[in-house]
Amino acid sequence: MNAQVKNALVAKLTALADDEVILAQRNSEWTGHGPILEEDIALANIVQDELGHATLWYGLRQALDGSDPDQLAFFRDAYEYRNCELVELPKGDWAFTMLRQFLFDLYESLWLEAAQHSTYKPLAEAVQKIVREERFHLQHTSAWVERLGLGTEESNRRLQQALDMQWGYAQQLFVPIPGEELLVAEGIVPDLSPLRERWLELATRHLQNAGLKLPINPGYQPTSRAYHTEHLWSILAEMQSTARWDAEAKVW
Amino acid sequence: MTTLPNTEQVWEALARIPDPEIPVINVVEMGIVRDVQIEGPRAIISMTPTFSGCPALHLIREQLEATARSLGFAEVEVKTVLSPPWSTDWITPEAKERLRQYGIAPPKPRAGQEGVLIQLEAAPTRCPRCGSLNTSVKNTFGPTLCKAIHVCNNCKEPFESFKTV
């Protein structure tokens, strides 16, 4: 693997891991505050899975450049993170949280499905592991979208508001990172454009079946993952506080 | 000078490590330990994660290492392998029966699930207590990543099932 391809792969793995870490941190804000006990448990499970996936992505990066996953998660500043803006938006209400997780799960499932045959063996192996866990997420969150969309007038209104807010942000999931075309050419990661078409088709069908209207005006459309909303600073301050107080703190 | 155990004896020792979350089965019959290699004073153990976010993995890793050290190996390496990905099909039939007796419905055979993104439960899960198939899923996510929560409409008892992956 030449240096350019390697650098692009390091950047891509960072983006994949950062998405999972920030989304997991956001969703973990519901722990102990879920609308019902079962959902508190379910979302905590999903969070744990996403953190497991982040560990695998950072681990692949570590094998390439020797970086330490804990350092990356707990000692990088917001401007060094490469997550999409969708995952850093405040958690909002339950409809906002479930819709975001659904949009993300659908993207992730399609990406993983396409990445299973990556020419980079360590990536293909990680994907084959993750894809088995991911299907439980999409099953769960797509059911929630249906339930809220077809539920009461209020649940439908809240979900529609969430969709109007998130639809533009979600498009960033399909914006390639700088150098991504090199990885696509090598068959290391899938091309995002056909995935976006498939995502649009499946998301549109499911959202419309759930009684929602797709926004005509997509709202804010993010571009580069180097930009962030102001919310990333506060979420990182909270997430990193223990590690920055006591760098020797361990998981147990 | 003490003689170091052979590969088979290492496997036997590792098979005495219970799964931290489901203590009725051990880490070998769970299919977590994939390979044991001995090179002189060095033991190399390969393990595979069940669920990638499972918090018990840290503990399992430490216990594998401590067990090999207690057998006299000066150097122990615990390697993580991802391929082929762990499957509940690797849990031995005896361990599945012990799961059932413990109150956890064992995983079903995985056949036909490959490549399916969304799978609705094709067959109902059998109640581990009374054996009834008249059961409903209450939560596809349970107290640990590997389990779901059900209720039996026959004996009215809630129970957990091991997810099929």
Side-chain angles (χ1 to χ4, degrees), chain A residues 150-166:
Chain A
L150 303 175
T152 64
E153 202 178 307
E154 184 183 357
S155 68
N156 177 283
R157 174 175 56 75
R158 287 179 179 233
L159 195 64
Q160 182 68 53
Q161 270 175 0
L163 181 61
D164 293 344
M165 168 79 177
Q166 291 177 18

Side-chain angles (χ1 to χ4, degrees), chain B residues 31 38 71 137 159:
Chain B
I38 296 172
L71 293 173
V137 182
F159 66 92

Side-chain angles (χ1 to χ4, degrees), chain B residues 66-103:
Chain B
T67 302
R69 284 199 188 277
S70 73
L71 293 173
F73 290 98
E75 279 179 67
V76 180
E77 188 191 348
V78 181
K79 286 200 290 196
T80 302
V81 290
L82 291 179
S83 187
W86 180 79
S87 162
T88 40
D89 286 352
W90 296 356
I91 302 177
T92 63
E94 300 77 34
K96 282 182 183 159
E97 172 54 22
R98 237 172 300 132
L99 273 178
R100 193 195 61 74
Q101 288 169 5
Y102 190 58

Side-chain angles (χ1 to χ4, degrees), chain A residues 38 41-42 45-46 48-49 52-53 56 109 113 125-126 128-129 132-133 135-140 251-252, chain B residues 49-53 55 58-59 82-83 85-87 110 113 116-117 119 139-142 144-145 163-165:
Chain A
E38 284 83 352
I41 294 169
N45 267 250
I46 291 174
Q48 242 181 336
D49 274 339
H53 303 166
L56 289 177
S109 300
E113 191 179 49
E125 288 179 0
Q128 280 154 24
K129 175 83 199 149
R132 293 189 178 194
E133 297 165 4
R135 66 190 166 89
F136 295 110
H137 298 192
L138 186 58
Q139 192 177 357
H140 192 73
V251 284
W252 293 107
Chain B
T50 50
F51 280 72
S52 53
H58 295 273
L59 197 59
L82 291 179
S83 187
W86 180 79
S87 162
R110 202 168 172 275
Q113 290 209 352
V116 182
L117 278 181
Q119 164 115 357
N139 194 353
T140 46
F141 294 92
T144 63
L145 292 179
K163 284 178 188 169
T164 302
V165 296

Side-chain angles (χ1 to χ4, degrees), chain B:
Chain B
M1 184 172 163
T2 51
T3 36
L4 287 171
N6 61 29
T7 320
E8 201 181 316
Q9 289 164 321
V10 176
W11 275 104
E12 279 169 19
L14 299 181
R16 287 193 289 273
I17 305 174
D19 181 281
E21 282 172 342
I22 312 164
V24 288
I25 47 183
N26 70 59
V27 296
V28 170
E29 53 191 1
M30 273 288 276
I32 294 173
V33 182
R34 299 295 310 286
D35 190 36
V36 174
Q37 298 275 341
I38 296 172
E39 292 172 4
R42 184 178 159 84
I44 305 158
I45 301 166
S46 298
M47 65 173 279
T48 194
T50 50
F51 280 72
S52 53
C54 176
L57 289 173
H58 295 273
L59 197 59
I60 294 173
R61 167 178 282 276
E62 281 171 20
Q63 288 177 340
L64 290 173
E65 191 179 335
T67 302
R69 284 199 188 277
S70 73
L71 293 173
F73 290 98
E75 279 179 67
V76 180
E77 188 191 348
V78 181
K79 286 200 290 196
T80 302
V81 290
L82 291 179
S83 187
W86 180 79
S87 162
T88 40
D89 286 352
W90 296 356
I91 302 177
T92 63
E94 300 77 34
K96 282 182 183 159
E97 172 54 22
R98 237 172 300 132
L99 273 178
R100 193 195 61 74
Q101 288 169 5
Y102 190 58
I104 302 173
K108 301 183 182 78
R110 202 168 172 275
Q113 290 209 352
E114 207 63 65
V116 182
L117 278 181
I118 304 178
Q119 164 115 357
L120 298 173
E121 289 280 325
T125 302
R126 190 180 287 281
C127 172
R129 287 188 174 80
C130 73
S132 169
L133 282 170
N134 180 16
T135 62
S136 345
V137 182
K138 285 292 159 193
N139 194 353
T140 46
F141 294 92
T144 63
L145 292 179
C146 52
K147 286 178 275 175
I149 303 172
H150 304 250
V151 70
C152 175
N153 302 319
N154 185 44
C155 69
K156 311 292 181 199
E157 288 287 337
F159 66 92
E160 295 170 352
S161 72
F162 206 109
K163 284 178 188 169
T164 302
V165 296

Side-chain angles (χ1 to χ4, degrees), chain A residues 51-98:
Chain A
L51 285 177
H53 303 166
T55 309
L56 289 177
W57 298 136
Y58 284 140
L60 290 182
R61 175 176 161 173
Q62 184 176 31
L64 285 171
D65 71 352
S67 55
D68 172 34
D70 287 335
Q71 285 286 327
L72 292 175
F74 296 113
F75 293 91
R76 263 183 314 156
D77 291 319
Y79 63 87
E80 294 172 284
Y81 262 81
R82 288 296 175 268
N83 59 280
C84 64
E85 289 176 67
L86 175 69
V87 298
E88 66 200 34
L89 299 174
K91 76 180 201 299
D93 58 16
W94 188 250
F96 191 94
T97 296
M98 285 296 110

